Structure formats: structure tokens, C-alpha cells
Amino acid sequence: MTAHISRRSLLGLAGIGAGAVLLGGCASEESGGSEEPQTIRWWHIQDTEPLLPLWAEIARVYEVRHNHVTFDIKPQENEAFKAQLAKVSKAGSLPDLFQSWGGGLLREQVEAGLIKDITDEAAPWIGQLLPAALQPYKVDGRLYGVPFDLGMVGFWYNRDLFADAGITSPPTTWAQLLEVIDRLKSANIVPMALAGKDKWPAHFYWAYLAMRIGGLGPLQRAALDGNFDTPDFVAAGERFLELLAMKPFQPGFRRAEYSAPDGQAAAIGNGDAAMELMGQWAPSVQASSSTSKRGIGSRLGFFTFPAVEGGKGEATDVLGGGNGFAVGRGAPPRTVDFLRTLLRAENQRRAAQTGAVLPTNLAAVGQIKDPNNQVVAAHLAVATGFQLYLDQAFPPAVGGQINDSVAELVAGSKRPDQIVKDITAVARSQ
């Protein structure tokens, strides 16, 4: 169930220029008086600036144009959303439109009969979107969700703090990264920020180390046989322990949440730490979580996860994924049409202009204006391989165990050889 996307599929992220055909089209037809009243329950995790007001405005305009449609919108923080979604899933009823990352959880929801197959309804317009971005939302060749962005995880860093420590360029190898941490600490600068309480940010380190050490092959095999108890996965944990032994993270990081005022993103946005390993949404969350609400602006830089000396993985293989929406089985008829509205070129451009989204509509992709997103898109364009976040690629129980096990590694309560056995036990029980 791991999603692997080829370089050929990703080339469109940076290669489609301003001359691309505008595929957004006009707004949906205004409703007549024959349709029954419909209320669309919409859950999403864009609960802060800049996407929170944008989603609300798009829904408001849709209501004006379709006077029989109303929205019941419930924005939630990421972890709260996941907990609520799990609760309603067990009850056998999902929201009409809700945040999804595809992968293993979506497959489970499909197999439980909770998700609407939108293949046929979306067929007239789905060709407007990047094919690569759709892959995590397909189950057995059928479409069950639509992505509104696609991006990757990498290191976001403060150029000024690097310069203050005498660091002239980002590290390209693991050994160089450890040296950068040492130099930052010597300059009394906190090297890294981490949301230890949320768990999922720490799994990025272990996932990338596994990719750099063993390549994508071990992850592909683990998706088939459930075996994580291999030398490459153990070595990934051992390398992470090397990093942890240097105590690179901000004080109190084990209690820190990602987007809280005193959390991981705020530490970067306020200039209190030099770097964080995070997805393409990082700059906008840094800004919204910072005291100034502007983040660090042009001082922010980006570099990919370094190569590990002696590793079999390519330095151009990336870990990432996209945000999207799935449709509940009993959703009102207009739900898929509204989803189409969200993905129209003009709305994708508006989302891209916030800096929080790398759009998936082909007509919007080539017009990315945000410098940070341009950098991410350029890295994606030369990617040799693509791995969906591990806590999304595998079934929820396995993804949850990966996050829990990596958290135990961070806490020092489990060794690398122990966590791979725990993850394997859960994976093979599925």
C-alpha cells in the first residue's frame, strides 16, 4: 500500500509554465428550484491562517450560487481531527467531505464501505490534475479522493542563524549535518525544533534514514511482507540515536506540539531554533504560529535530507505526500461538485498564493509564486523516487505503531532493534 511515484510523473510540478492551458472553467451552474435542500458536513485541518478563511470563502460563494446547499464546516487541529475521525469511523458514519492523505487508512475506509467511489463523477475533470498526486487516493484502480496539494518533507532552516555559527552552506551528508549541529550548539543556538508530543514529526527522521540507508526497496518489501526487522531499519534507528545523543532539540521538546504558540513551528517562526524537518506547509505554519504572524520571511531556506555515507538510497528520493479530501458514502449529491470547485484552477491559484499549498491542478502548478514553494517544486521535479509518509502509507495500526515506536526511541525507552520487532508484530497481525 506504499505509494511510489516516478520521476516522470513528477516532472510536471516545475515544468509547466505560464503557457499551460487554463482548465479551471467557469463556475458550477447555478441551482434551479428542483433540487432538495442539502447540507454538506465538511471536516478539515486548515484551522489557522491562511487556508481557514479561504476555504470558508469558497464555501460561501458556492452557497450563493446554489441556494439549496449549505455547509456545516468543522475545522480541527490535526491530532484532534484524527481522533474524531477514528471515533465516527467506528460508528460507521463519516463526514460528507473530510481531510484525507490517501494510503493505508483510505483503503481501510473503502474496504469498510465508508467511502464513496467518485471515479465516474470525477471523470470529466480529473484529467486537470497531476496524475502523480492522484495515486495515494486510488484503491484497486478506483478513485476515492482528490488531492489539493502535493509536496515533500525537508529541512527548513534560518539562514541568519547558520551564518552566525559560521555555516556557509547546508549539509549534504549525514556527517555534515551532525557537524552543523555541533557548530550551532557551540554558538549557543538551538539547532533543531521538534514537536515530541505529536509523535508524527519524529517519524520523518526515521523514515528518511531508512530510505537513505536501504533505499526504497526495504519499504516496498515491508509493504508486502510486514517485516521491518531488518538491518536497514535497525540502522536507521541507530543513526537517529546518534542525532539524539547530541541533544539538538529545543528545551521541553518532548511536551511540544507542532502548531502551538510554544511548539515546533513557532520555534522556527520566532527565530528560536535553526531548523526543522517538515513538509511544504512549514513556512505558512511558522508564520501563523509566530509572535509576529510573519515568521522569518526571506531568512528561511530549504535543503533536502542528507545522504548517509555508505547507504544504498538516492539523495534525490523524497518523503512526502499531499493533502486532499475524500467523500463519505452517504454524502449529498452536490458534494463531488463542490470538490470540483475547490480544485478549479482559479481556486488552486488562490490557495497557492497563500504559500500553504503546492497545487495539483495543471493550470495552477506552473504559476507558483511563493519562493519557498518554488524551491520545493524544483526538488520534486528532479526526484528519483517518492515515498508516502509512513504513518499514512501503511494501515492505521501500523502507521500508529511506527509513530509510537519512534517516540519510544526518542524517549530512550526502546532500542532500535526492539522497535522494529514491535512494528513487525503489528504489521503481520493485519
Side-chain angles (χ1 to χ4, degrees):
M1 283 177 253
T2 311
H4 302 282
I5 300 176
S6 69
R7 178 185 176 189
R8 181 186 300 271
S9 298
L10 287 162
L11 287 174
L13 278 167
I16 297 175
V21 176
L22 182 62
L23 294 169
C26 59
S28 303
E29 291 183 7
E30 295 187 12
S31 62
S34 60
E35 293 190 63
E36 294 293 325
Q38 302 173 29
T39 298
I40 298 174
R41 295 176 301 136
W42 182 14
W43 290 13
H44 64 72
I45 64 167
Q46 286 71 46
D47 62 333
T48 62
E49 295 275 356
L51 289 182
L52 177 64
L54 177 60
W55 284 169
E57 172 64 12
I58 294 174
R60 187 194 67 79
V61 171
Y62 193 89
E63 286 178 332
V64 170
R65 291 175 174 166
H66 305 82
N67 56 24
H68 64 291
V69 176
T70 57
F71 286 88
D72 178 5
I73 306 176
K74 187 176 182 181
Q76 300 176 71
E77 183 274 330
N78 184 64
E79 295 304 309
F81 164 81
K82 290 178 180 177
Q84 284 295 312
L85 194 69
K87 182 178 180 180
V88 296
S89 294
K90 289 180 181 178
S93 176
L94 291 173
D96 302 316
L97 186 65
F98 61 95
Q99 190 93 15
S100 176
W101 298 273
L105 176 58
L106 182 67
R107 175 175 284 272
E108 284 200 351
Q109 292 167 336
V110 169
E111 292 174 347
L114 299 175
I115 307 291
K116 183 176 183 178
D117 181 340
I118 63 172
T119 309
D120 297 333
E121 282 188 74
W125 52 269
I126 203 66
Q128 299 174 14
L129 308 185
L130 287 165
L134 296 172
Q135 291 189 24
Y137 297 87
K138 289 185 176 180
V139 177
D140 299 330
R142 304 294 290 179
L143 186 67
Y144 290 91
V146 177
F148 64 82
D149 79 339
L150 177 70
M152 64 175 284
V153 174
F155 278 106
W156 296 93
Y157 74 102
N158 187 315
R159 301 177 196 273
D160 286 358
L161 293 182
F162 268 44
D164 290 345
I167 302 164
T168 57
S169 60
T172 59
T173 68
W174 182 251
Q176 289 174 5
L177 177 65
L178 299 185
E179 182 182 345
V180 163
I181 291 170
D182 190 53
R183 295 183 70 168
L184 288 165
K185 287 175 68 73
S186 295
N188 294 316
I189 297 168
V190 175
M192 294 174 162
L194 181 67
K197 183 177 179 180
D198 286 343
K199 298 183 181 179
W200 58 268
H203 115 274
F204 292 155
Y205 287 90
W206 187 74
Y208 252 130
L209 283 165
M211 290 168 58
R212 294 293 186 260
I213 292 169
L216 293 177
L219 286 163
Q220 293 170 335
R221 289 190 291 274
L224 297 174
D225 62 17
N227 184 24
F228 290 82
D229 192 1
T230 67
D232 289 331
F233 287 118
V234 174
E238 290 171 344
R239 292 285 188 164
F240 193 19
L241 287 183
E242 290 179 0
L243 179 74
L244 291 166
M246 299 184 74
K247 298 182 179 180
F249 302 117
Q250 81 276 21
F253 77 92
R254 288 190 176 88
R255 300 184 302 275
E257 298 176 351
Y258 172 56
S259 57
D262 59 350
Q264 175 176 332
I268 306 298
N270 291 326
D272 296 330
M275 54 184 156
E276 67 167 337
L277 184 62
M278 190 50 60
Q280 72 280 1
W281 57 85
S284 65
V285 183
Q286 290 168 11
S288 65
S289 302
S290 69
T291 302
S292 68
K293 301 303 178 183
R294 294 189 300 272
I296 60 174
S298 61
R299 292 178 290 163
L300 189 66
F302 179 85
F303 64 92
T304 58
F305 197 94
V308 174
E309 295 81 355
K312 298 185 285 290
E314 298 287 342
T316 46
D317 288 346
V318 301
L319 177 75
N323 291 288
F325 293 109
V327 178
R329 179 186 55 198
R334 279 285 177 177
T335 306
V336 177
D337 183 68
F338 174 69
L339 187 53
R340 177 189 185 184
T341 296
L342 281 175
L343 272 294
R344 287 189 184 280
E346 59 268 30
N347 287 329
Q348 279 266 279
R349 289 193 191 97
R350 293 172 67 190
Q353 287 168 4
T354 70
V357 166
L358 274 172
T360 57
N361 188 304
L362 292 166
V365 164
Q367 300 182 27
I368 297 171
K369 304 300 182 184
D370 180 79
N372 293 315
N373 281 346
Q374 288 176 345
V375 171
V376 174
H379 282 291
L380 280 168
V382 297
T384 50
F386 191 98
Q387 170 63 50
L388 184 63
Y389 319 115
L390 300 193
D391 59 353
Q392 299 298 330
F394 296 96
V398 180
Q401 185 61 53
I402 289 173
N403 284 342
D404 290 344
S405 290
V406 174
E408 290 174 327
L409 197 64
V410 172
S413 59
K414 289 284 182 73
R415 301 188 310 271
D417 62 313
Q418 293 175 312
I419 70 166
V420 296
K421 289 180 171 60
D422 293 342
I423 298 169
T424 297
V426 173
R428 290 189 163 173
S429 69
Q430 298 301 296

